[in-house]
Amino acid sequence: MVNPEYNILDEWMFGKLNNLLENLDSNSDYFEIKLSLGEPSICFPEFVKNELALNYEKWGNYPPTAAISRFSNSIIRYIQRRHPGAETIVDANKNILPVPGTREPLHLLGLLAKNLKCGKTRAIVTNPFYHAWQAGSISSGSEIYWVNALPENDYMPNLDDIPVEILRSSIIMYICSPSNPHGGVANIDYLKRAIVLARKFNFILAFDECYNDIFRTNKPKPIGGLDAALQIGKNLNNIIIFNSLSKRSSVPGIRAGFIVGDERIINGYKLLVSNGASPVPIPIQNVAASLYNDDNHNLEACIHYDKNFEIVDKYLRPFYKNFKTPDAGFFLWLKVKDDQEAAKVLWNKFSLRVMPGSFMAKEIKGFNPGKGFLRISIVEENKVVEEAMKRICLFLQSN
């Protein structure tokens, strides 16, 4: 009765984690700390409440597919500040659309890529992966070609490892920088190389940049697809970039962001949304405009995560000689002997809920790049993160 290709989505990581811990109780000696979900816990700016109140009556209007002028102007200003010069290759009316976060458009993009080439097609996906990339690849009608993200390449998939015949048959590629879950950051040459391949072999290149504004304040801000596009041709051909406020502004419930890219892709997405998807309501667009106009709250969030990782470093460095704080994002990618067993013990003995890395990746030719790692969300208040690290140290001492 339903498309069986989507049955694979039953294997998503949160479902696997629930099954893994189903018959295990947490330890009543400890209060539960759930570090398996990347949900920001710090308060969002107070002005969000005011924006919602001021735009209350606009809930009575149908949401437009395009951005209202206030929102589009705020995006252009944000791009100008965050990726200087890139505003010169972006037309607010042709290259930008509002989206309800990144999950939905990452998925729907697959429908736009479908049938771009004749015969058997491929979708190139980073492994470990975010579930929306897999859903989008299925929707494109393509076979997924997994490319492992490994530490020797700063947790970016090695583009030179992709065979030419795969590139020729590819219709879409997903790249995430800063990477989820590792916090690796692509350099400008890497992003330029990816764009060159997309144009040479004519596929859609999707840059998932939802962690681009969660960076360490003592390091340069991560560059993005717009910076690379500006350098190599001053156009947005073949690329689409996804930006969200969920992490940047700690408002995952607001469901707001934007996509920017190739006018042809934007036009196709606009038609798709107009006929069967979810435009962003006007009150939400106004909230989003106010958030993109303000950088202070975002910097405060980054400072909060910096302090959390200072706590992490203090407790874990004695156990890991080469411990390195991730350059961006708010996840800890922690090496352990057995990730699934570690997740069970941390829950059963220490009331810590973490994500086994193997649940976030596919095993290809006998190798799972997430195996032997835990993804741990470092988003809570400093004192909660410190308590969690104390318990992880107890676990490491006993293993």
Side-chain angles (χ1 to χ4, degrees):
M1 292 295 291
V2 296
N3 185 347
E5 290 180 319
Y6 289 101
N7 290 345
I8 194 172
L9 299 180
D10 285 336
E11 301 176 7
W12 76 316
M13 58 182 178
F14 293 108
K16 287 183 175 180
L17 181 59
N18 289 338
N19 290 335
L20 180 72
L21 305 180
E22 185 176 14
N23 296 316
L24 290 175
D25 294 324
S26 60
N27 187 344
S28 60
D29 291 339
Y30 296 100
F31 65 90
E32 294 180 1
I33 305 177
K34 297 185 179 180
L35 305 175
S36 55
L37 180 65
E39 182 177 61
S41 61
I42 55 179
C43 291
F44 50 78
E46 282 292 319
F47 61 72
V48 170
K49 298 177 183 179
N50 295 330
E51 285 289 347
L52 287 171
L54 288 170
N55 291 279
Y56 178 78
E57 293 183 356
K58 297 297 183 182
W59 289 110
N61 297 107
Y62 279 114
T65 301
I68 60 174
S69 59
R70 183 189 177 198
F71 189 23
S72 62
N73 290 336
S74 74
I75 293 170
I76 293 295
R77 287 193 294 268
Y78 163 78
I79 290 172
Q80 187 175 22
R81 298 191 312 274
R82 188 64 182 80
H83 307 285
E87 74 280 359
T88 62
I89 61 173
V90 176
D91 185 315
N93 296 316
K94 296 179 180 179
N95 303 117
I96 290 174
L97 277 180
V99 291
T102 56
R103 186 184 338 184
E104 180 177 297
L106 284 166
H107 172 202
L108 293 183
L109 182 66
L111 294 173
L112 297 181
K114 192 172 186 178
N115 299 323
L116 285 184
K117 295 178 181 177
C118 297
K120 184 178 181 179
T121 58
R122 266 88 173 197
I124 303 173
V125 182
T126 304
N127 190 35
F129 63 96
Y130 179 52
H131 51 272
W133 310 338
Q134 179 176 246
S137 301
I138 294 171
S139 294
S140 76
S142 302
E143 176 185 288
I144 299 179
Y145 184 83
W146 300 98
V147 187
N148 293 335
L150 301 173
E152 51 263 37
N153 202 42
D154 294 325
Y155 289 111
M156 292 293 125
N158 191 336
L159 301 175
D160 294 328
D161 286 347
I162 306 172
V164 172
E165 60 269 24
I166 297 297
L167 292 167
R168 288 197 184 111
S169 63
S170 293
I171 57 175
I172 190 169
M173 174 191 281
Y174 290 95
I175 290 178
C176 183
S177 176
S179 66
N180 174 12
H182 330 87
V185 177
N187 60 42
I188 192 71
D189 291 334
Y190 180 91
L191 297 179
K192 287 161 64 175
R193 168 73 170 145
I195 293 174
V196 168
L197 289 176
R199 292 173 179 172
K200 179 179 180 179
F201 293 99
N202 193 31
F203 57 78
I204 295 174
L205 177 59
F207 287 120
D208 184 349
E209 296 185 1
C210 70
Y211 293 93
N212 199 257
D213 284 324
I214 302 298
F215 48 83
R216 306 288 83 82
T217 57
N218 63 344
K219 295 185 178 182
K221 295 179 182 179
I223 50 86
L226 285 173
D227 302 299
L230 179 67
Q231 285 197 18
I232 65 173
K234 297 190 176 181
N235 66 68
L236 300 172
N237 293 348
N238 291 77
I239 70 172
I240 187 78
I241 297 162
F242 298 77
N243 190 291
S244 170
L245 290 168
S246 295
K247 276 65 176 183
R248 178 188 185 271
S249 300
S250 305
V251 287
I254 289 290
R255 309 312 303 153
F258 67 89
I259 54 175
V260 55
D262 191 319
E263 182 180 356
R264 297 166 295 176
I265 302 173
I266 293 294
N267 284 338
Y269 193 85
K270 186 182 296 183
L271 285 173
L272 189 60
V273 172
S274 297
N275 287 274
S278 304
V280 181
I282 294 174
I284 299 299
Q285 290 201 38
N286 276 292
V287 170
S290 66
L291 288 167
Y292 277 118
N293 281 336
D294 182 74
D295 293 330
N296 290 331
H297 74 280
N298 172 236
L299 179 59
E300 290 173 2
C302 291
I303 292 171
H304 167 74
Y305 297 131
D306 282 353
K307 291 179 180 176
N308 275 350
F309 277 108
E310 288 174 7
I311 295 168
V312 170
D313 184 274
K314 178 180 71 172
Y315 280 94
L316 296 188
R317 185 166 294 278
F319 295 93
Y320 298 90
K321 292 182 180 179
N322 298 317
F323 182 81
K324 179 180 179 293
T325 296
D327 291 334
F330 49 50
F331 290 117
L332 172 65
W333 190 237
L334 188 67
K335 179 70 175 175
V336 293
K337 293 179 183 178
D338 184 325
D339 56 307
Q340 293 185 38
E341 183 62 26
K344 290 163 66 175
V345 173
L346 284 169
W347 178 246
N348 185 234
K349 291 188 176 181
F350 301 101
S351 298
L352 291 179
R353 194 177 183 94
V354 299
M355 180 62 66
S358 58
F359 289 175
M360 299 188 66
K362 288 288 182 181
E363 182 175 310
I364 306 298
K365 296 180 180 178
F367 176 69
N368 182 322
K371 186 176 181 180
F373 290 90
L374 297 173
R375 191 190 78 168
I376 303 174
S377 180
I378 310 298
V379 298
E380 298 291 341
E381 295 179 8
N382 301 151
K383 61 181 181 180
V384 176
V385 170
E386 182 143 22
E387 173 62 23
M389 289 304 109
K390 289 178 180 177
R391 298 183 201 178
I392 287 175
C393 286
L394 291 174
F395 163 75
L396 293 172
Q397 289 169 359
S398 62
N399 283 266

